[in-house]
mmCIF file of all heavy atoms in Angstrom:
data_model
loop_
_atom_site.group_PDB
_atom_site.id
_atom_site.type_symbol
_atom_site.label_atom_id
_atom_site.label_comp_id
_atom_site.label_asym_id
_atom_site.label_seq_id
_atom_site.Cartn_x
_atom_site.Cartn_y
_atom_site.Cartn_z
ATOM 1 N N ALA A 24 0.652 45.592 -4.429
ATOM 2 C CA ALA A 24 0.407 45.553 -5.881
ATOM 3 C C ALA A 24 -1.123 45.234 -6.043
ATOM 4 O O ALA A 24 -1.477 44.229 -6.786
ATOM 5 C CB ALA A 24 1.340 44.471 -6.457
ATOM 6 N N SER A 27 -2.067 45.660 -10.184
ATOM 7 C CA SER A 27 -1.623 44.706 -11.124
ATOM 8 C C SER A 27 -1.829 43.252 -10.629
ATOM 9 O O SER A 27 -1.891 42.215 -11.382
ATOM 10 C CB SER A 27 -0.130 44.895 -11.497
ATOM 11 O OG SER A 27 0.741 44.566 -10.397
ATOM 12 N N PHE A 29 0.493 41.723 -9.285
ATOM 13 C CA PHE A 29 1.905 41.142 -9.695
ATOM 14 C C PHE A 29 2.845 41.604 -8.649
ATOM 15 O O PHE A 29 3.413 42.709 -8.694
ATOM 16 C CB PHE A 29 2.289 41.634 -11.109
ATOM 17 C CG PHE A 29 3.360 40.910 -11.716
ATOM 18 C CD1 PHE A 29 3.309 39.558 -12.162
ATOM 19 C CD2 PHE A 29 4.575 41.526 -11.844
ATOM 20 C CE1 PHE A 29 4.365 38.920 -12.698
ATOM 21 C CE2 PHE A 29 5.647 40.980 -12.497
ATOM 22 C CZ PHE A 29 5.526 39.514 -12.890
ATOM 23 N N VAL A 31 6.394 41.595 -6.886
ATOM 24 C CA VAL A 31 7.741 41.387 -7.212
ATOM 25 C C VAL A 31 8.659 41.703 -5.940
ATOM 26 O O VAL A 31 8.403 42.634 -5.209
ATOM 27 C CB VAL A 31 8.198 42.445 -8.351
ATOM 28 C CG1 VAL A 31 9.666 42.214 -8.682
ATOM 29 C CG2 VAL A 31 7.264 42.299 -9.540
ATOM 30 N N ASN A 47 7.685 46.053 -5.049
ATOM 31 C CA ASN A 47 6.972 47.023 -5.823
ATOM 32 C C ASN A 47 5.865 47.769 -5.001
ATOM 33 O O ASN A 47 5.189 46.972 -4.135
ATOM 34 C CB ASN A 47 6.480 46.545 -7.191
ATOM 35 C CG ASN A 47 5.701 45.252 -7.132
ATOM 36 O OD1 ASN A 47 5.866 44.375 -6.259
ATOM 37 N ND2 ASN A 47 4.637 45.112 -7.977
ATOM 38 N N VAL A 48 5.740 48.981 -5.127
ATOM 39 C CA VAL A 48 4.769 49.721 -4.403
ATOM 40 C C VAL A 48 3.870 50.544 -5.417
ATOM 41 O O VAL A 48 4.321 51.482 -5.945
ATOM 42 C CB VAL A 48 5.403 50.670 -3.405
ATOM 43 C CG1 VAL A 48 4.376 51.425 -2.551
ATOM 44 C CG2 VAL A 48 6.407 49.939 -2.448
ATOM 45 N N GLU A 49 2.689 49.995 -5.621
ATOM 46 C CA GLU A 49 1.832 50.610 -6.674
ATOM 47 C C GLU A 49 0.995 51.783 -6.010
ATOM 48 O O GLU A 49 1.010 52.033 -4.838
ATOM 49 C CB GLU A 49 0.889 49.551 -7.228
ATOM 50 C CG GLU A 49 1.782 48.445 -7.983
ATOM 51 C CD GLU A 49 0.960 47.482 -8.667
ATOM 52 O OE1 GLU A 49 -0.271 47.313 -8.442
ATOM 53 O OE2 GLU A 49 1.552 46.741 -9.421
ATOM 54 N N THR A 57 6.162 52.192 -7.978
ATOM 55 C CA THR A 57 7.660 51.992 -8.112
ATOM 56 C C THR A 57 7.846 50.553 -8.098
ATOM 57 O O THR A 57 7.223 49.674 -7.447
ATOM 58 C CB THR A 57 8.404 52.613 -6.927
ATOM 59 O OG1 THR A 57 7.808 52.292 -5.643
ATOM 60 C CG2 THR A 57 8.335 54.138 -6.966
ATOM 61 N N CYS A 58 8.982 50.130 -8.724
ATOM 62 C CA CYS A 58 9.382 48.777 -8.908
ATOM 63 C C CYS A 58 10.027 48.250 -7.704
ATOM 64 O O CYS A 58 10.681 49.022 -6.930
ATOM 65 C CB CYS A 58 10.255 48.576 -10.098
ATOM 66 S SG CYS A 58 9.354 48.702 -11.715
ATOM 67 N N ALA A 59 10.158 46.974 -7.608
ATOM 68 C CA ALA A 59 10.871 46.304 -6.462
ATOM 69 C C ALA A 59 12.365 46.719 -6.381
ATOM 70 O O ALA A 59 12.932 46.981 -5.369
ATOM 71 C CB ALA A 59 10.763 44.832 -6.542
ATOM 72 N N GLU A 60 12.980 46.732 -7.560
ATOM 73 C CA GLU A 60 14.333 47.157 -7.720
ATOM 74 C C GLU A 60 14.622 48.558 -7.125
ATOM 75 O O GLU A 60 15.703 48.761 -6.519
ATOM 76 C CB GLU A 60 14.825 47.090 -9.220
ATOM 77 C CG GLU A 60 14.842 45.663 -9.859
ATOM 78 C CD GLU A 60 13.514 45.387 -10.439
ATOM 79 O OE1 GLU A 60 12.376 45.883 -10.050
ATOM 80 O OE2 GLU A 60 13.549 44.613 -11.454
ATOM 81 N N VAL A 80 15.946 39.079 -8.659
ATOM 82 C CA VAL A 80 14.482 39.634 -8.765
ATOM 83 C C VAL A 80 13.635 38.311 -8.956
ATOM 84 O O VAL A 80 13.928 37.416 -9.720
ATOM 85 C CB VAL A 80 14.364 40.451 -10.008
ATOM 86 C CG1 VAL A 80 12.889 40.995 -10.049
ATOM 87 C CG2 VAL A 80 15.352 41.595 -10.063
ATOM 88 N N VAL A 88 11.241 37.333 -14.596
ATOM 89 C CA VAL A 88 11.023 38.727 -14.766
ATOM 90 C C VAL A 88 12.311 39.556 -15.132
ATOM 91 O O VAL A 88 13.198 39.594 -14.292
ATOM 92 C CB VAL A 88 10.380 39.261 -13.387
ATOM 93 C CG1 VAL A 88 10.322 40.810 -13.499
ATOM 94 C CG2 VAL A 88 9.041 38.716 -13.255
ATOM 95 N N ALA A 89 12.221 40.235 -16.254
ATOM 96 C CA ALA A 89 13.370 41.124 -16.596
ATOM 97 C C ALA A 89 13.164 42.383 -16.055
ATOM 98 O O ALA A 89 12.017 43.040 -16.187
ATOM 99 C CB ALA A 89 13.441 41.122 -18.060
ATOM 100 N N PRO A 90 14.237 43.081 -15.321
ATOM 101 C CA PRO A 90 13.937 44.436 -14.878
ATOM 102 C C PRO A 90 13.501 45.341 -16.069
ATOM 103 O O PRO A 90 13.983 45.231 -17.197
ATOM 104 C CB PRO A 90 15.393 44.835 -14.371
ATOM 105 C CG PRO A 90 16.113 43.529 -14.078
ATOM 106 C CD PRO A 90 15.439 42.509 -15.053
ATOM 107 N N CYS A 91 12.587 46.249 -15.684
ATOM 108 C CA CYS A 91 12.190 47.186 -16.864
ATOM 109 C C CYS A 91 13.273 48.134 -17.158
ATOM 110 O O CYS A 91 14.214 48.263 -16.471
ATOM 111 C CB CYS A 91 11.006 48.023 -16.296
ATOM 112 S SG CYS A 91 11.228 49.391 -15.072
ATOM 113 N N CYS A 94 14.362 50.568 -14.510
ATOM 114 C CA CYS A 94 15.271 49.981 -13.418
ATOM 115 C C CYS A 94 16.583 49.698 -13.946
ATOM 116 O O CYS A 94 17.473 49.698 -13.235
ATOM 117 C CB CYS A 94 14.501 48.805 -12.947
ATOM 118 S SG CYS A 94 13.064 49.253 -11.789
HETATM 119 N N1 LIG B 1 7.722 45.398 -11.639
HETATM 120 C C1 LIG B 1 8.748 45.313 -10.724
HETATM 121 O O1 LIG B 1 8.535 45.708 -9.594
HETATM 122 N N2 LIG B 1 9.921 44.925 -11.159
HETATM 123 C C2 LIG B 1 10.243 44.564 -12.471
HETATM 124 O O2 LIG B 1 11.326 44.197 -12.793
HETATM 125 C C3 LIG B 1 9.050 44.520 -13.393
HETATM 126 C C4 LIG B 1 7.818 45.063 -13.008
HETATM 127 C C5 LIG B 1 6.399 45.671 -11.093
HETATM 128 C C6 LIG B 1 5.840 47.123 -11.424
HETATM 129 C C7 LIG B 1 4.357 46.882 -11.241
HETATM 130 O O3 LIG B 1 4.000 47.161 -9.946
HETATM 131 C C8 LIG B 1 4.195 45.433 -11.523
HETATM 132 O O4 LIG B 1 5.411 44.844 -11.574
HETATM 133 C C9 LIG B 1 3.479 45.213 -12.948
HETATM 134 O O5 LIG B 1 4.171 45.761 -13.908
#
Side-chain angles (χ1 to χ4, degrees):
S27 71
F29 191 70
V31 183
N47 50 330
V48 182
E49 297 184 346
T57 52
C58 287
E60 294 90 331
V80 184
V88 166
C91 78
C94 284

